[in-house]
Amino acid sequence: MPIAKNIDDELYELNKLLSEKEEFQLDREYQKEILEKERKFLEDLKTANEVFDKRTLMTLFSLLAGKHLTEYIGIVNSGKEAVVFKARKGKFYRAVKVYRVATCDFKTMSKYIQGDPRFHLRKSSRRQIIHAWVEKEFRNLRRASEIINAPKARLRRENVLVMDFVGYRGIPAPKLKDMQDLDWEKYFKIIKESMKKLYEEGELVHGDLSEYNILVKDDEPVFIDFSQSVITQHPLAHPLLIRDCINICNFFRRKRVDCNYKDLYKYITGKEIDPIDEAMIKQL
């Protein structure tokens, strides 16, 4: 019996060592894989002339290391305040929006956040405001995507937001402004119904709606970019909605659709435009 027990013990220790060795080897291979992804990502950034602070780079790498993303593929759009990357999670494509901490208009951001009862900023640091801004967009997207055609937000981390990619096999869907020969009457009807549903059911106002922030996929409009969106209780909700109505009607009138921003506003809210709210548009 003692001999058998010793043999069992030795086999157990041997299996344990083998298991630890295999685990160590797998861990080393995974680390090599992550390092290769980091190297490729840095090279892509260098080629695209994109510069981020060290903390942002660490956040982007952590999404790879945590297996939230498989790889970054390239840049879809680059602006003063944010960069949007195309990425993959397994066989699914993702859009990764990265806000630039150094160049964001944090004063405007603060104005939109302070009036939102969902957020209470204790400090006014630039990074904290941007983190709250990303959290706001994350929540807005989650709410909107349950009601209208909008990308679903997947996760947020500091100044980085990951959401569904709107496109075809990794090719971004075109913007409404770039489309030709659509049934413009049909699209106006869908968009105004979506604006109404967003207002009534989601209690949200997009706040920056135009032909630039509407994509076309599967012959349907898709609303994107909900960073400026506010809840209907926000002090700026109605001025922003009036501006959205003006933008949408200006675009569709150029497409020979008979529409008026005051009628659109009344269709969405059931009320006439308050002249005070309309006058506030100049301050936005």
Side-chain angles (χ1 to χ4, degrees), residues 76-103:
V76 177
N77 188 37
S78 180
K80 180 183 176 183
E81 295 193 344
V83 179
V84 179
F85 291 96
K86 179 170 64 176
R88 274 196 318 107
K89 165 65 176 172
K91 63 180 181 179
F92 299 104
Y93 287 96
R94 297 281 187 259
V96 183
K97 190 172 187 178
V98 185
Y99 281 96
R100 303 178 188 272
V101 177
T103 57

Side-chain angles (χ1 to χ4, degrees), residues 43-282:
E43 284 183 356
D44 289 345
L45 283 180
K46 189 175 180 181
T47 302
N49 294 318
E50 294 294 341
V51 179
F52 295 110
D53 60 281
K54 186 177 180 181
R55 189 164 173 176
T56 299
L57 288 172
M58 289 176 66
T59 300
L60 290 167
F61 294 153
S62 73
L63 297 176
L64 292 174
K67 298 185 178 181
H68 298 292
L69 297 173
T70 308
E71 65 174 331
Y72 295 101
I73 300 172
I75 293 174
V76 177
N77 188 37
S78 180
K80 180 183 176 183
E81 295 193 344
V83 179
V84 179
F85 291 96
K86 179 170 64 176
R88 274 196 318 107
K89 165 65 176 172
K91 63 180 181 179
F92 299 104
Y93 287 96
R94 297 281 187 259
V96 183
K97 190 172 187 178
V98 185
Y99 281 96
R100 303 178 188 272
V101 177
T103 57
C104 279
D105 184 356
F106 71 98
K107 289 183 179 179
T108 299
M109 288 178 170
S110 181
K111 179 175 66 175
Y112 283 92
I113 296 167
Q114 292 288 4
D116 193 325
R118 296 175 296 176
F119 301 95
H120 302 282
L121 292 177
R122 296 178 182 177
K123 299 178 182 178
S124 58
S125 72
R126 181 187 294 268
R127 190 171 285 276
Q128 187 187 35
I129 289 170
I130 292 173
H131 291 180
W133 188 258
V134 173
E135 175 69 20
K136 183 167 80 78
E137 185 169 11
F138 177 82
R139 291 194 194 185
N140 290 341
L141 273 172
R142 277 291 177 95
R143 187 184 294 194
S145 63
E146 292 178 355
I147 299 165
I148 65 170
N149 207 2
K152 184 176 180 179
R154 294 292 172 174
L155 65 91
R156 73 283 191 205
R157 188 166 292 172
E158 299 207 356
N159 58 320
V160 178
L161 174 66
V162 180
M163 67 197 98
D164 286 350
F165 180 84
V166 183
Y168 307 86
R169 297 181 180 179
I171 300 171
K175 294 177 180 178
L176 184 65
K177 75 176 186 71
D178 297 323
M179 297 301 293
Q180 303 292 329
D181 302 323
L182 289 180
D183 185 340
W184 297 112
E185 294 278 357
K186 168 193 166 185
Y187 269 77
F188 176 67
K189 183 180 178 182
I190 295 172
I191 288 168
K192 77 174 187 177
E193 287 173 354
S194 296
M195 292 172 73
K196 185 178 177 70
K197 288 178 70 176
L198 193 64
Y199 182 87
E200 289 186 341
E201 299 176 34
E203 296 185 345
L204 275 179
V205 171
H206 187 282
D208 192 26
L209 195 63
S210 72
E211 64 272 24
Y212 291 85
N213 284 333
I214 300 175
L215 305 182
V216 177
K217 182 182 178 185
D218 299 329
D219 199 26
E220 293 280 343
V222 183
F223 287 25
I224 62 168
D225 197 356
F226 283 77
S227 59
Q228 258 184 236
S229 302
V230 296
I231 58 175
T232 51
Q233 296 88 348
H234 193 285
L236 297 176
H238 289 94
L240 286 169
L241 179 58
I242 296 168
R243 188 174 69 178
D244 284 353
C245 292
I246 291 171
N247 290 340
I248 291 300
C249 284
N250 283 346
F251 173 76
F252 278 99
R253 275 206 308 271
R254 294 196 296 271
K255 302 298 181 182
R256 299 182 181 180
V257 175
D258 183 22
C259 60
N260 179 282
Y261 76 92
K262 292 183 179 180
D263 293 337
L264 178 56
Y265 180 89
K266 188 174 182 179
Y267 172 79
I268 294 167
T269 66
K271 301 175 183 178
E272 302 288 347
I273 289 177
D274 187 325
I276 295 175
D277 287 334
E278 189 167 11
M280 286 181 65
I281 295 175
K282 296 177 182 178

Side-chain angles (χ1 to χ4, degrees), residues 7-53:
I7 291 171
D8 288 341
D9 289 344
E10 286 177 9
L11 285 172
Y12 173 80
E13 291 299 328
L14 180 61
N15 286 330
K16 186 179 177 182
L17 284 170
L18 287 171
S19 178
E20 288 175 351
K21 185 177 179 182
E22 289 173 356
E23 186 176 339
F24 178 72
Q25 184 62 31
L26 286 171
D27 186 56
R28 285 187 65 183
E29 289 176 2
Y30 179 63
Q31 287 179 12
K32 286 180 181 179
E33 182 182 336
I34 292 299
L35 287 172
E36 176 59 25
K37 287 177 180 178
E38 290 181 7
R39 183 193 64 76
K40 183 179 182 299
F41 178 56
L42 284 171
E43 284 183 356
D44 289 345
L45 283 180
K46 189 175 180 181
T47 302
N49 294 318
E50 294 294 341
V51 179
F52 295 110
D53 60 281

